[in-house]
Amino acid sequence: MREYTNYMADRVKTMKGSAIREMFKRMADPEIISLAGGNPAAELFPSDELSKIAGKILMTSPTLALQYGTTDGYPKMRDCARARAAKVNSVSENDTVLIMTGANQGIDLTAKAVLNKGDKIIVESPSFIGSLNAFRTYEAQLIGVRVEDDGMSMDGLEEALKNNSDVKMIYTIPTFQNPTGTTMTLDKRKKLLELASKYDVLVLEDNPYGDLRFSGGEVPTVKSLDTEGRVIYAGSFSKILSPGMRLGYIVAPAPLAEKIEMLKQVNDVHTPMLTQLMCVEFMKKYDIDKYIEKNRELYGRKCAKMVESMEKYFPAGKVKWVVPEGGIFLWCECPSIDDITPIVDKCLDKKVAIVPGSNFATDIFAPSNMFRLNYSSATLENIEEGIRRIGEVLTENL
């Protein structure tokens, strides 16, 4: 077979596929219990409602649904996104709302609009692999700042900004962070903005899980605290409606949004009209907040079941974790070992899948003693059985 490495752009030669993707290939086995993904609970999808809505749209407005649309999004869909952002005070009169084909597209295009080769971007360590790979694609230098139990370390952030005069942007998932599930305190959010202002950098706030709080009190978004127009906000309908519809949005200051829109025009012209119309009709016909409340209630029960099972089956004193107040992830650390990879492999042998922490690091080749669990997509029964199997492996190997 032809050797294609010489044809590849330098920026992709060193990119490495995530263990999550590789794991999914092995998870074709129907006997495997997956606590590895990030899927919403399929039982919550409003499939009947969306089926009727789609049928009606295609019967009554086929041209609108099947023809090209505008790059910034169907106007009524933009109104829906603006309303969701306004609900958490994350849009101002100086902001533009752009509809994205998933929030991750918005993060990617924001990075493309902001980052030059060699630019530095501060990220939480660990952080969402999709965003980290987007930043790597544009050949940015990733500077990791550790995530503490209450969000990104502000001492670490200040140190990183002090030691790197050319940081362009800070990327944060402050609410129910992926992968740790932690939430940044209000004081830390204020401090983050204070530091961003002092060192004159942009902030990219990713908030796909903010609607999924099932305990504790609400914390204002970073964007809602911004008085200088330096925060770009990424929101999503994937976790509250359907990930397959690929609907997200970016809220950004108008001059930056204009450039992001141009890049989207090149990228995919526009987000599919049919799914935009379906979302608009669903939001008009049904109470989305009541639907979100069902998500919160179910995820709260699933998280409680996972924590209860961990306390029951994990070897006492050998695994550390922080109980999240929302979202879909729980993060574990095994202080007595250096590399979780052998344990991940042995868990797969026992037909249960978890994700090693190295996937979420700025240096994906460095060993990690941490792993991520997901509780949203498995049944209550499978959560307990999966944790029992993991507990067996941990007991044997720690």
Side-chain angles (χ1 to χ4, degrees):
M1 182 179 288
R2 182 186 296 273
E3 174 57 62
Y4 287 95
T5 304
N6 292 336
Y7 298 99
M8 294 179 186
D10 291 341
R11 63 180 175 274
V12 302
K13 285 180 181 177
T14 58
M15 290 185 71
K16 180 183 177 185
S18 76
I20 302 173
R21 186 180 66 183
E22 297 304 314
M23 194 176 292
F24 281 147
K25 294 176 183 177
R26 293 182 64 181
M27 282 161 44
D29 183 347
E31 293 183 8
I32 286 185
I33 295 173
S34 174
L35 302 179
N39 295 344
E43 62 265 39
L44 289 171
F45 293 157
S47 52
D48 289 343
E49 293 89 339
L50 290 173
S51 174
K52 292 172 185 174
I53 287 170
K56 181 180 178 182
I57 289 169
L58 290 170
M59 287 292 292
T60 61
S61 307
T63 301
L64 181 61
L66 301 176
Q67 188 55 277
Y68 283 119
T70 57
T71 301
D72 58 348
Y74 178 54
K76 291 182 179 179
M77 183 67 227
R78 293 204 310 274
D79 290 343
C80 286
R82 181 174 284 273
R84 295 307 303 172
K87 194 173 180 68
V88 288
N89 299 312
S90 294
V91 62
S92 73
E93 60 182 15
N94 298 318
D95 287 319
T96 298
V97 177
L98 302 174
I99 302 302
M100 296 286 137
T101 308
N104 212 49
Q105 183 189 50
I107 291 164
D108 177 73
L109 294 180
T110 299
K112 192 173 186 178
V114 169
L115 299 173
N116 293 313
K117 179 180 179 179
D119 279 346
K120 294 176 181 175
I121 177 169
I122 292 177
V123 299
E124 291 160 333
S125 181
S127 189
F128 172 48
I129 187 172
S131 296
L132 296 183
N133 277 343
F135 305 145
R136 291 181 180 117
T137 299
Y138 301 113
E139 300 176 271
Q141 295 185 51
L142 305 184
I143 301 171
V145 174
R146 73 185 183 279
V147 175
E148 300 171 326
D149 291 352
D150 59 353
M152 183 195 292
S153 165
M154 289 299 110
D155 289 340
L157 176 60
E158 186 160 20
E159 189 72 15
L161 288 166
K162 192 181 299 181
N163 294 335
N164 296 275
S165 59
D166 49 353
V167 171
K168 205 78 167 283
M169 187 161 64
I170 301 167
Y171 171 70
T172 179
I173 313 170
T175 307
F176 316 133
Q177 201 249 11
N178 181 4
T180 65
T182 57
T183 295
M184 187 185 292
T185 62
L186 177 58
D187 285 345
K188 281 193 170 185
R189 293 174 193 229
K190 291 177 179 178
K191 182 66 175 179
L192 186 152
L193 279 175
E194 178 188 317
L195 291 171
S197 177
K198 178 180 178 180
Y199 291 93
D200 192 23
V201 298
L202 294 174
V203 176
L204 176 53
E205 178 181 14
D206 190 7
N207 191 30
Y209 313 106
D211 288 304
L212 303 180
R213 175 175 290 280
F214 46 73
S215 67
E218 296 288 344
V219 186
T221 63
V222 177
K223 175 71 172 172
S224 70
L225 304 171
D226 178 27
T227 59
E228 299 179 343
R230 67 175 66 250
V231 179
I232 302 111
Y233 179 86
S236 176
F237 289 88
S238 290
K239 303 302 186 291
I240 62 171
L241 191 55
S242 157
M245 292 173 72
R246 306 309 303 133
L247 292 173
Y249 58 94
I250 284 285
V251 181
L256 184 55
E258 180 182 359
K259 300 301 182 184
I260 294 173
E261 183 180 350
M262 291 178 186
L263 293 171
K264 180 174 168 60
Q265 171 72 35
V266 175
N267 189 283
D268 69 352
V269 183
H270 66 86
T271 298
M273 283 296 297
L274 177 58
T275 54
Q276 291 189 71
L277 293 169
M278 288 169 64
C279 182
V280 168
E281 189 62 25
F282 185 91
M283 300 280 276
K284 182 171 71 174
K285 196 168 184 178
Y286 302 99
D287 187 339
I288 189 67
D289 290 314
K290 284 186 178 178
Y291 177 66
I292 290 171
E293 193 56 44
K294 291 181 182 178
N295 284 254
R296 291 177 168 180
E297 191 275 331
L298 179 61
Y299 293 157
R301 284 195 289 121
K302 288 189 174 188
C303 180
K305 170 59 75 173
M306 180 167 280
V307 172
E308 173 192 308
S309 301
M310 291 162 67
E311 291 171 343
K312 182 177 180 181
Y313 296 114
F314 282 9
K318 297 293 186 180
V319 186
K320 295 168 57 179
W321 65 83
V322 177
V323 180
E325 296 181 340
I328 61 177
F329 298 118
L330 203 152
W331 187 243
C332 297
E333 179 182 2
C334 303
S336 64
I337 61 172
D338 295 322
D339 188 5
I340 199 72
T341 305
I343 287 175
V344 172
D345 292 338
K346 289 174 182 177
C347 285
L348 267 180
D349 291 340
K350 283 188 178 286
K351 307 288 189 182
V352 60
I354 60 177
V355 186
S358 55
N359 278 260
F360 310 100
T362 53
D363 180 1
I364 59 176
F365 299 102
S368 170
N369 64 354
M370 304 177 187
F371 61 94
R372 190 190 73 178
L373 297 170
N374 165 256
Y375 48 79
S376 59
S377 57
T379 63
L380 292 170
E381 295 74 20
N382 278 349
I383 287 173
E384 178 164 8
E385 176 58 20
I387 295 297
R388 186 191 68 77
R389 296 179 193 180
I390 297 168
E392 284 185 357
V393 175
L394 292 172
T395 300
E396 291 166 4
N397 291 273
L398 294 184

